[in-house]
Amino acid sequence: MDKERRAYEALLQTVNTRLRSARPADQVHHERQLQFLRDIDSQTPTPPYGVQRAAQLTQLLTEVAGEGQKSANADGESLQLISLWLQWLHELLHSRRQLLGDETQSLRDWLLQRLTQQNTNDVETLRCLLPLLDALPVGVARAQLPQLAAIPLPSSMEAALLLLLCQDAVLGALTELQPAELQLCSQLASTLLHAHYAGSWLLQASQLSTAGLQEQQTLLVAHSLLVLQKIAALHAEYAQQQAPELLGLALSYMRRLDTSATLQLPHRVQPAQQSLAAYGQDAEELQAASSQSNAAAGRRVKSRKMRSLAKQRTEPVQPITSGGAQEERLQQLLLQGSTAASNGDSNSNSDNAAGAQSAGVKQQRQCQVKLRLAALQLLGAVTKQLPRRLLYGYWHALFPSNSASDADHLLQLGANDGNVRCRALALQLAAQLYYGSKPFLSQANDTTAPSNYTPFALSLASSVLAAYGQLTGILQREFAPPVLTQCLKCLAVLVQATPFDQLQMGFVYEFVPHVKKLARHMDTGVKVSALLVMEMLVATTRLTQEIACAVGLPLSERKAVVERQRHNVRAAPEFEQLCDSEEEAEEEQEEQEQLPNPATQPSIPRNSWLLRLVLRYLDCPGSAAPLRLECLQVILAMATHFALLRDHLARLAAVLSAALADPSLDVRLYGARCLDAVGFQMARQAQEQQQTEEEQLQLQQHLLFWQRLLQSIYVAYLAASSATLKCALCDALSNMGVCSFERLPQPQRNALLAFLLGCSSDDAADPLVRAAALRALAVYVLQPTLRADLVFVEHAAELALRLIGDPQLAVRIKAAWALGNISDALVAPSLEAKKRQEEKQRQEEKAKEQRQQQQLEEEVELDIELQEEEAEEEQEIEQQQETAQQKKEKHEKEEEEDHAQLEQEEHISQSLLMRLIEAAVAACSDHDKVRANAVRALGNLLRLLPSAEHELMLRAMSKLLDCVRAAGSAKVKWNACYALGNLVRNRSLFASSGSLAGTLFTTLGQLIVQHANFKVRINATAVLLQIEHRADFGQHYASMWAALVAATERSNALDTFVEYNHRDGLQQQLCLAMAHMLARARPDDLLTCRQAMESQLEAISGTWRRVAYRILPEQATALFNCGSMLQQRFAANALTGEQRNALTFLVAALRLES
C-alpha cells in the first residue's frame, strides 16, 4: 500500500506540473487525468465499485501515449508521464485491483497492443499485464493466446522473464487447444528450444555481475521450462516429435546441483534402438494375456493396481508455483537495483556484507531448486505423452544402467539432491515411469551371457538391480518422511514389475530389512508405504526362495518353492533368521495383554513377522484408518499364497470380524473383500485335500472360521448404507465352498439361505445388491444337498427372471450367470442318469467279455474231463440263472431309480421352463458378457424342452446359430457351441425340421474349417461328439466328414502364433470326432469317407498317429480300435466291391500297430 501511495503521489505531482505548463487546449486532458486519480483515491473497497473504471483508464492511457508519440522528438516528459502511469497501475493492480472491476478486457487489449507495436522490452507494460492475466476464464485466455504467442522473445532478461510469466498464466488456464492454437504453441515452444540450444541466455551469463541478475537468469530458465511443460501437456504430438530435445533440456537442468556451477548447453537424448526393437508393442496390447497362465477355476484374487499412480500418469503435472508468495518474491527481485556489493574495511560493513552474501547464496539455492523442479515437471509432462514403446527407448537416460554407473538419473537425484521437494518429486516421477512397465521389465534376465556381446536382457537386468541398489541406499540414509514415502512407493511399483524368478537371488535380502524397520516408523504415511512394498512382494505369483523367507512362508511350502526354483541357490543364513526380535515380541505381547481378550489368541511364529505386524496394527484401537486399510490389503495379497494364513484362521477370523464393524467404510469394504479372497482360497484348498486326519482338522478350522464370521456378516450388511459393501458381503458368502457349507448345522444353513433369499427379493434394495445375492444363490444351487431341492431351484429361477431385464448392464450380467448355473442344476439329474447308464453299459460289456473268456477256457478242458464238464455245465447253468436273476433285479432297480429321477424332473414347472427359455432367448441379443451366459443357459434348457414345443425350439435354435455366426466375443461362440452340444442331445430337434438341422450342420462345418480361433473350432467339433445316432446326421454325414478332413489338414497352418497352444487340443478333438463318426457309419458312407481322405491321406494319417500316441490311454482307445471296429462291424454285411475297397483303405490309413 505504501508503494502504491508513493507512485500515486509522484503521478499526481507530475500531472499537476504538466497542467500548469500546458496550453489551454491541452488542459482539458490533464484535468480529466486529475479527476480520474482523485476518484480512484476516494474509492473504498466496498461494492459496487469499478464501474467503467477500466475503460476510462484505457482511454486516458491512450491519450497519454498518443501525446507522448507526438512530443517524443521535443522532450521526454511525455514518455516519463506514461511510465509513471504504468508504475502506478502496476502497484494499483497488486494492492487494490478491485477498484478497476472485473471488466478489464479493454485494458488488457491496450497493453498487448502496446507490446506488439512498441518495444517488446517494455518491462513496465509487462508488469501491468501480468496481474491482469491471472485466473482468466477459458474463453478469455483462448482469445489472448494468439497475441501473447506472437510477441517475439525480448532481448532484456527481465522483460523475457515477465513475458514467460504472462504466457505461463494464459496456458495454465487452458485444458485443451484448438488446431490453430496448437500451431501457435508449437512455434512458441520451438522458439524457446532454439533459445536454449543456441545458448542465447548463456552468452549473458559471463556478463552477470550481481546475485540478482543470476537469480533472474535462473528464474528465466525455470519459467521457460514451465511454459514448455504446459505446451507438452497440451500438445501430445509436439511432445512426441520433439522428445529428444525436450528430454535433453530437462535432464540438463535437472542435474545442476551446485550453486557455483554455470549453465551449460543441453544435449539431445537419442533413443536406444535396442529398447525399441525389444519392445515393439504398447503395454495395453500385451496386458490381456499377462495373467492367463496363472488363472484358476472360479474367481481368483486379482493383483492390486496402484490406481493413484495411474491417475497421476494421466493427469497434467501440477505447477510448482505457490501463488502470491512466489509472485511477491519475484516482484521484489525484479524491482531491486543492480547495486554492487560493498567492499568496505570496517567491521560493520564486513558483517553486513557477510549477511548479504549469505542471504544471496540462500536465494540462489532457492532459485536453483525451482529450476530443478521445473525440469522434473517438464520431464514428467513429456514422458506422459510418449507411448510406451517410444518411452522405453529413453530408459537408459532416465534410470541407472548398472550398479557402478555414476551418471545422473532420477534415482540419483532422489538420493543426492539437497532439497526435500526435489528428492520427493524425482522419486514420484520414477514411480510413475515404473508403473505399467511390467511387460518391458519382464524381459530382464541375468543368466550367463555370451562373451562377445551383452544381450539386451542382461543389460535390462543390470538396470533393474541397480535401481534396487539405489532405492535401498535411500531407505538406509533418508530421514525425511515425504522422501521416504515416495521412495517406498517407487520401490513398491518396481517390485510389482520385477521378474524375480529370472534374476539371481540376493537383492531382496538387501531392502526387506529396511522396509521391515520402516513398517514401525512413527509417521503413518511411511508405515503405510512400507506395508505397500510388502504387499506387492507377497502378491508375486511365482515366489522365489528369498521371497518365501522374507514373508514367512512355512517351511513345508518353502521346500516346494526351492524345488521349483530355477536358480539352485541356498538362502543366506542371516536372511533365514529374518524375524521379530525378542524386544519386538515382548512389546507385542504387552500390547496383546492390554486387549479386552488377551488369552484367546494363538501365537504366531516369529518368522511370520509380516503377519504378526499387520494383525498387531489391526488389533490396536489407535491405528489410523489408512494403516488398517493397508493391513487388510496385505492380508488380501497373502491369500494368494494361502499357506501364510492357513494355520492362523482363528486369529484371522477375529480380525476380519472387527474390520466388518469398523467405523470407516473403506475398512469395512476391504474387510469384506479380504474375506471373499480368503474364503475362495479355503474352498479351493478343501477341494484338493486327500481327506487325511490332518486335513480333516483343517476342514474343521474352515467351518469354525465361517461360523465365527456369519453373524458379523449379517450385522455388517444390515448396518451398511453402501451398495458396494453389501455386494462385497454377498460375494464373500458365495465363496464358502462345498465342504464348509455341507458341514454347517442345518439351522445355520437355513439361516444363510434365508438371508440371501431375503436380500435378492428385497425390491427396495439396490439392483446391484440383489444381483450379488442372486449370484451367491446360484452358487449354492449347484451344491449336492440343494441341487435336488426343486422348490429352492425354482425360487432362484424366479429371482433370476426378475433381474434379467434390469436396465443396468452389471445386474444383467450377474443375472445371466445365475441363470446359467440354475440351468446346470436343472439338467444335472439327466446327466447323472446318463452317467449311470454308461457305467451300466461298461459293466455289461465287461461281463460279456468275462463270459466269452470263460467259455474259451471251458472248451479247452472239454476233451479232458467230460463228466466234470457236465457237472460244471450244470453248475454254470445254475450260476447263470442266479446271475441272470440278479441282473434282472438290478436292472429293474436301476430302471426304478431312473424312473424316479424322471418323475422328479417332471415336477419342474413347464410354464417356468418356458419363461426361462424366453428370457434366455431375449438375453442372447444383449451385451456380449450377458450373451456368454445366456447361450449356456439356453443350451441346457433346450434339453428339457418337450418335442411338442416346435416353434420355440426353432426360435431358440436360430438365436444360438446367430450367436455363433455373428461377429463378437470368442467366449460367446465357445459357449454357443457348447449349448449346441447340449441341444443336439434332444433328438426331437432332428425329427422336427430337416431345414433347421441343415442350417445347424452347415454352420458347424464353416466353424470347424474356417474360424480363426482354435478354441471355437474345438467347441464346434465337440458338438459332433454329442450326436449318438447315425440317423441324426441324415444326409449331412458326408459334408461333416469332409469338414473334419479339411479342418485336420488346416490345423497345422497357424495364422497367428497365439493359437499354437491350442493346436494339439484341436487335432485331438478332430481325431476323436472322426473316430466317433466312423463308429456310426453305414456301408454306403464308406465310399464317401474314402473319397474325402484320398487327397489328404498323408496329413490325416500323420495327425492320427501323432494324436493317438500323445493323448491319455483311456482317450486313445477309440483311435487304436477304430480299424478293428470297422472290420468287425462290416464283417457280416454284404458289401459291394467298391465298399470293401473303401473299407480296406480306411483301415490301412488309420492303422496304428506299425
Side-chain angles (χ1 to χ4, degrees):
M1 194 69 180
D2 294 338
K3 295 181 180 179
E4 190 267 333
R5 191 65 187 177
R6 289 195 297 268
Y8 170 78
E9 291 176 354
L11 177 59
L12 188 63
Q13 181 180 0
T14 304
V15 173
N16 281 322
T17 304
R18 294 291 299 271
L19 176 61
R20 288 192 296 268
S21 60
R23 295 174 300 175
D26 297 333
Q27 289 180 358
V28 179
H29 302 295
H30 296 298
E31 289 176 354
R32 261 201 318 267
Q33 296 175 22
L34 289 174
Q35 184 62 36
F36 178 82
L37 290 174
R38 294 190 185 98
D39 292 342
I40 289 290
D41 186 53
S42 63
Q43 286 285 339
T44 58
T46 56
Y49 45 73
V51 181
Q52 303 296 330
R53 294 295 182 188
Q56 295 177 16
L57 179 59
T58 303
Q59 184 179 1
L60 290 176
L61 290 175
T62 304
E63 295 176 355
V64 173
E67 183 181 352
Q69 292 177 359
K70 295 178 182 179
S71 59
N73 297 328
D75 54 44
E77 293 181 0
S78 297
L79 297 179
Q80 181 184 4
L81 179 60
I82 190 63
S83 177
L84 290 174
W85 270 100
L86 293 175
Q87 290 178 13
W88 170 75
L89 175 60
H90 171 254
E91 298 298 340
L92 179 67
L93 290 172
H94 278 283
S95 59
R96 295 189 295 170
R97 179 180 174 178
Q98 67 273 16
L99 295 179
L100 295 179
D102 297 330
E103 298 297 330
T104 57
Q105 181 62 43
S106 59
L107 188 57
R108 281 195 300 270
D109 292 339
W110 183 84
L111 293 172
L112 285 171
Q113 184 181 7
R114 177 175 175 81
L115 284 175
T116 55
Q117 295 180 357
Q118 304 294 329
N119 186 9
T120 58
N121 291 314
D122 192 347
V123 176
E124 295 170 348
T125 303
L126 288 167
R127 286 178 181 173
C128 295
L129 180 62
L130 181 58
L132 295 174
L133 297 175
D134 186 28
L136 290 178
V138 177
V140 178
R142 196 179 299 279
Q144 303 295 335
L145 179 61
Q147 296 175 292
L148 279 173
I151 299 175
L153 195 64
S155 58
S156 169
M157 186 181 302
E158 186 176 350
L161 177 56
L162 288 168
L163 178 60
L164 289 175
L165 287 171
C166 295
Q167 295 168 347
D168 184 42
V170 172
L171 290 172
L174 300 177
T175 56
E176 59 180 358
L177 298 178
Q178 303 297 332
E181 297 167 350
L182 291 174
Q183 184 177 2
L184 289 174
C185 288
S186 299
Q187 297 174 357
L188 176 59
S190 300
T191 302
L192 295 177
L193 281 177
H194 176 74
H196 282 286
Y197 279 90
S200 300
W201 295 315
L202 297 185
L203 297 177
Q204 300 178 7
S206 61
Q207 304 174 0
L208 298 178
S209 57
T210 64
L213 293 177
Q214 293 178 0
E215 291 182 39
Q216 285 186 12
Q217 184 197 37
T218 306
L219 289 175
L220 175 63
V221 175
H223 284 281
S224 66
L225 297 182
L226 288 178
V227 172
L228 289 172
Q229 174 256 324
K230 287 183 173 59
I231 294 176
L234 295 171
H235 197 347
E237 184 179 357
Y238 182 83
Q240 295 174 16
Q241 293 175 352
Q242 304 296 328
E245 291 81 4
L246 293 172
L247 290 178
L249 186 64
L251 291 173
S252 174
Y253 294 121
M254 183 188 75
R255 297 166 181 168
R256 187 171 180 236
L257 306 178
D258 189 4
T259 57
S260 61
T262 58
L263 295 176
Q264 298 180 358
L265 283 175
H267 299 281
R268 297 173 74 252
V269 177
Q270 297 295 341
Q273 298 300 323
Q274 192 178 24
S275 299
L276 294 176
Y279 193 88
Q281 291 178 308
D282 289 346
E284 291 78 4
E285 300 175 5
L286 300 177
Q287 190 176 4
S290 60
S291 60
Q292 294 298 326
S293 59
N294 299 315
R299 298 175 71 241
R300 62 185 179 87
V301 179
K302 297 182 179 180
S303 60
R304 178 184 175 191
K305 297 181 179 179
M306 304 183 68
R307 302 189 184 275
S308 60
L309 290 175
K311 184 178 180 181
Q312 289 175 6
R313 180 161 178 81
T314 56
E315 288 182 349
V317 178
Q318 297 297 327
I320 63 172
T321 57
S322 59
Q326 182 181 357
E327 187 66 29
E328 182 179 357
R329 167 70 189 125
L330 179 62
Q331 296 302 326
Q332 293 177 359
L333 180 62
L334 295 179
L335 288 175
Q336 67 183 4
S338 57
T339 58
S342 173
N343 294 324
D345 296 332
S346 64
N347 293 334
S348 60
N349 291 340
S350 300
D351 294 339
N352 293 335
Q357 184 177 3
S358 176
V361 171
K362 183 178 180 180
Q363 292 173 1
Q364 181 65 13
R365 287 178 179 174
Q366 292 298 324
C367 291
Q368 290 195 355
V369 167
K370 296 175 183 177
L371 175 59
R372 294 197 298 276
L373 290 173
L376 287 171
Q377 289 187 347
L378 174 60
L379 184 65
V382 176
T383 53
K384 286 178 184 179
Q385 300 291 4
L386 291 178
R388 282 286 175 178
R389 61 180 302 273
L390 297 179
L391 173 63
Y392 295 137
Y394 303 98
W395 203 258
H396 63 284
L398 301 173
F399 294 102
S401 56
N402 53 67
S403 57
S405 176
D406 295 331
D408 294 327
H409 46 77
L410 286 173
L411 300 182
Q412 186 78 9
L413 183 65
N416 298 329
D417 196 280
N419 184 267
V420 173
R421 288 193 299 164
C422 289
R423 297 200 301 273
L425 183 58
L427 292 171
Q428 180 185 3
L429 180 56
Q432 294 178 18
L433 295 177
Y434 276 129
Y435 181 77
S437 63
K438 186 173 183 178
F440 176 69
L441 296 184
S442 63
Q443 302 172 89
N445 196 321
D446 61 352
T447 55
T448 304
S451 58
N452 56 344
Y453 72 97
T454 301
F456 173 74
L458 183 58
S459 301
L460 190 57
S462 299
S463 176
V464 172
L465 295 178
Y468 274 105
Q470 287 278 357
L471 294 174
T472 303
I474 296 174
L475 294 180
Q476 185 177 3
R477 299 187 303 267
E478 187 61 58
F479 293 98
V483 182
L484 284 174
T485 301
Q486 293 300 332
C487 181
L488 289 168
K489 289 182 179 180
C490 181
L491 182 60
V493 181
L494 182 58
V495 166
Q496 192 180 35
T498 301
F500 290 97
D501 57 327
Q502 298 173 196
L503 303 176
Q504 291 183 359
M505 293 192 299
F507 62 95
V508 176
Y509 299 176
E510 299 176 358
F511 69 83
V512 169
H514 299 291
V515 175
K516 178 176 178 291
K517 181 179 178 181
L518 292 172
R520 295 176 170 85
H521 197 274
M522 295 178 60
D523 185 80
T524 301
V526 175
K527 286 190 288 190
V528 171
S529 300
L531 290 177
L532 177 62
V533 175
M534 297 310 302
E535 176 195 347
M536 297 303 163
L537 193 63
V538 172
T540 303
T541 306
R542 303 172 66 178
L543 292 182
T544 62
Q545 182 184 0
E546 55 179 346
I547 298 179
C549 295
V551 300
L553 198 68
L555 184 60
S556 58
E557 297 292 332
R558 202 181 306 168
K559 291 180 179 179
V561 171
V562 173
E563 293 177 359
R564 296 193 304 266
Q565 186 67 28
R566 177 173 60 87
H567 302 289
N568 188 16
V569 182
R570 183 175 178 272
E574 62 271 16
F575 193 78
E576 292 178 355
Q577 301 300 321
L578 183 62
C579 57
D580 285 340
S581 62
E582 296 181 0
E583 293 79 5
E584 293 170 340
E586 293 176 358
E587 181 182 355
E588 181 181 359
Q589 184 64 28
E590 293 177 357
E591 292 183 0
Q592 290 292 331
E593 293 176 355
Q594 297 175 1
L595 295 177
N597 298 318
T600 60
Q601 305 297 345
S603 61
I604 300 176
R606 287 171 56 190
N607 67 322
S608 300
W609 67 269
L610 182 59
L611 182 60
R612 290 166 58 95
L613 184 62
V614 296
L615 294 180
R616 172 185 169 187
Y617 285 147
L618 289 172
D619 286 336
C620 180
S623 298
L627 182 59
R628 298 198 304 273
L629 183 64
E630 183 56 40
C631 289
L632 289 173
Q633 298 205 61
V634 172
I635 297 178
L636 184 64
M638 285 184 172
T640 307
H641 310 286
F642 189 65
L644 293 167
L645 306 173
R646 182 179 54 202
D647 300 330
H648 316 292
L649 292 179
R651 179 82 178 273
L652 187 60
V655 167
L656 293 179
S657 179
L660 293 178
D662 196 274
S664 173
L665 174 61
D666 291 337
V667 175
R668 297 200 303 272
L669 177 60
Y670 273 90
R673 291 176 178 175
C674 186
L675 176 60
D676 184 13
V678 173
F680 171 73
Q681 294 298 333
M682 284 195 303
R684 184 179 178 185
Q685 184 196 37
Q687 293 177 354
E688 298 173 354
Q689 289 180 343
Q690 303 298 326
Q691 303 300 325
T692 63
E693 182 178 356
E694 180 181 357
E695 291 172 346
Q696 288 295 328
L697 293 177
Q698 291 182 359
L699 293 179
Q700 185 64 24
Q701 294 296 323
H702 295 180
L703 178 60
L704 295 176
F705 176 86
W706 281 109
Q707 286 179 326
R708 170 69 185 274
L709 282 166
L710 280 178
Q711 189 63 30
S712 300
I713 293 175
Y714 301 154
V715 174
Y717 183 93
L718 295 176
S721 58
S722 170
T724 305
L725 176 57
K726 292 182 177 181
C727 292
L729 291 171
C730 293
D731 291 340
L733 288 175
S734 68
N735 277 330
M736 180 177 291
V738 179
C739 297
S740 297
F741 181 79
E742 297 294 337
R743 289 168 176 262
L744 275 179
Q746 190 64 35
Q748 292 186 359
R749 193 187 306 175
N750 293 339
L752 171 61
L753 296 178
F755 172 75
L756 291 175
L757 286 171
C759 294
S760 57
S761 304
D762 187 5
D763 293 334
D766 190 283
L768 285 173
V769 178
R770 296 171 58 195
L774 174 63
R775 180 189 176 278
L777 287 174
V779 173
Y780 290 119
V781 158
L782 297 179
Q783 304 288 3
T785 56
L786 296 176
R787 189 168 51 196
D789 188 352
L790 293 180
V791 175
F792 177 75
V793 175
E794 289 185 353
H795 196 170
E798 291 286 353
L799 294 174
L801 290 175
R802 293 168 61 181
L803 293 176
I804 194 67
D806 193 87
Q808 297 187 52
L809 175 61
V811 175
R812 298 199 304 274
I813 291 174
K814 292 185 178 182
W817 187 89
L819 187 61
N821 272 28
I822 293 169
S823 66
D824 290 338
L826 291 175
V827 300
S830 60
L831 293 177
E832 293 176 355
K834 182 179 180 181
K835 289 181 180 178
R836 289 196 301 268
Q837 183 179 1
E838 293 175 352
E839 182 65 23
K840 181 175 66 176
Q841 291 178 355
R842 284 195 296 268
Q843 291 178 358
E844 291 176 353
E845 292 176 358
K846 185 177 180 180
K848 182 178 179 181
E849 292 177 358
Q850 291 177 353
R851 287 196 303 269
Q852 292 176 353
Q853 183 67 24
Q854 188 176 0
Q855 290 177 0
L856 290 175
E857 293 176 356
E858 290 175 355
E859 290 176 358
V860 173
E861 297 176 355
L862 181 63
D863 297 333
I864 301 177
E865 297 180 355
L866 183 60
Q867 295 179 353
E868 295 180 2
E869 180 184 0
E870 293 176 355
E872 290 176 358
E873 287 179 356
E874 293 177 359
Q875 185 178 2
E876 180 183 357
I877 291 173
E878 294 177 357
Q879 292 177 353
Q880 288 178 354
Q881 291 177 353
E882 295 177 357
T883 305
Q885 182 66 23
Q886 294 176 356
K887 289 183 177 180
K888 183 178 180 180
E889 294 176 356
K890 184 178 180 181
H891 183 67
E892 291 177 355
K893 183 178 180 180
E894 290 176 352
E895 286 183 349
E896 291 177 358
E897 293 178 355
D898 293 343
H899 182 70
Q901 184 70 32
L902 292 175
E903 289 292 331
Q904 186 179 17
E905 290 185 13
E906 291 175 0
H907 285 86
I908 299 173
S909 172
Q910 291 300 315
S911 61
L912 176 60
L913 180 62
M914 299 297 108
R915 290 163 56 203
L916 290 174
I917 294 177
E918 292 287 354
V921 170
C924 287
S925 303
D926 206 331
H927 191 273
D928 280 351
K929 292 185 178 181
V930 178
R931 290 196 300 161
N933 290 295
V935 295
R936 176 169 69 97
L938 188 58
N940 287 330
L941 296 173
L942 289 178
R943 290 181 59 182
L944 307 174
L945 187 66
S947 58
E949 300 292 338
H950 178 65
E951 182 180 355
L952 183 57
M953 175 76 75
L954 292 179
R955 193 150 48 87
M957 177 69 179
S958 301
K959 184 62 67 174
L960 285 177
L961 293 177
D962 291 341
C963 291
V964 170
R965 291 190 297 257
S969 171
K971 186 177 181 180
V972 176
K973 293 182 173 61
W974 305 339
N975 289 354
C977 292
Y978 179 79
L980 290 174
N982 283 328
L983 175 62
V984 296
R985 295 178 184 177
N986 190 342
R987 297 197 64 194
S988 61
L989 166 70
F990 303 101
S992 60
S993 174
S995 61
L996 192 59
T999 305
L1000 169 64
F1001 286 118
T1002 301
T1003 304
L1004 287 178
Q1006 294 174 353
L1007 290 175
I1008 293 171
V1009 179
Q1010 300 177 3
H1011 203 279
N1013 190 295
F1014 277 20
K1015 291 185 69 176
V1016 175
R1017 293 195 200 179
I1018 292 172
N1019 285 275
T1021 307
V1023 177
L1024 301 180
L1025 295 175
Q1026 308 302 325
I1027 303 178
E1028 296 293 342
H1029 302 277
R1030 170 62 181 83
D1032 293 341
F1033 284 99
Q1035 60 183 354
H1036 305 287
Y1037 184 93
S1039 61
M1040 297 313 301
W1041 176 264
L1044 291 176
V1045 172
T1048 305
E1049 189 274 332
R1050 288 194 57 187
S1051 63
N1052 291 312
L1054 299 177
D1055 296 334
T1056 61
F1057 188 75
V1058 177
E1059 302 297 339
Y1060 177 80
N1061 294 330
H1062 306 297
R1063 185 189 62 178
D1064 294 344
L1066 174 61
Q1067 293 179 346
Q1068 173 182 336
Q1069 195 79 304
L1070 290 169
C1071 292
L1072 291 176
M1074 293 172 68
H1076 179 80
M1077 293 190 66
L1078 287 175
R1080 288 150 182 79
R1082 297 185 307 210
D1084 56 338
D1085 296 328
L1086 297 176
L1087 186 60
T1088 304
C1089 294
R1090 174 183 177 176
Q1091 292 174 352
M1093 282 187 61
E1094 280 182 335
S1095 59
Q1096 309 294 341
L1097 178 60
E1098 184 176 354
I1100 300 299
S1101 299
T1103 303
W1104 186 277
R1105 185 175 294 105
R1106 185 169 56 255
V1107 170
Y1109 287 107
R1110 185 183 64 238
I1111 63 176
L1112 297 175
E1114 55 269 22
Q1115 295 179 335
T1117 303
L1119 303 185
F1120 278 96
N1121 298 336
C1122 186
S1124 59
M1125 179 270 301
L1126 285 174
Q1127 291 178 338
Q1128 292 177 4
R1129 283 192 60 212
F1130 297 108
N1133 292 28
L1135 302 179
T1136 64
E1138 292 182 352
Q1139 292 175 349
R1140 191 161 300 278
N1141 291 337
L1143 176 62
T1144 304
F1145 172 83
L1146 292 174
V1147 171
L1150 304 179
R1151 180 177 291 115
L1152 293 172
E1153 289 77 13
S1154 59

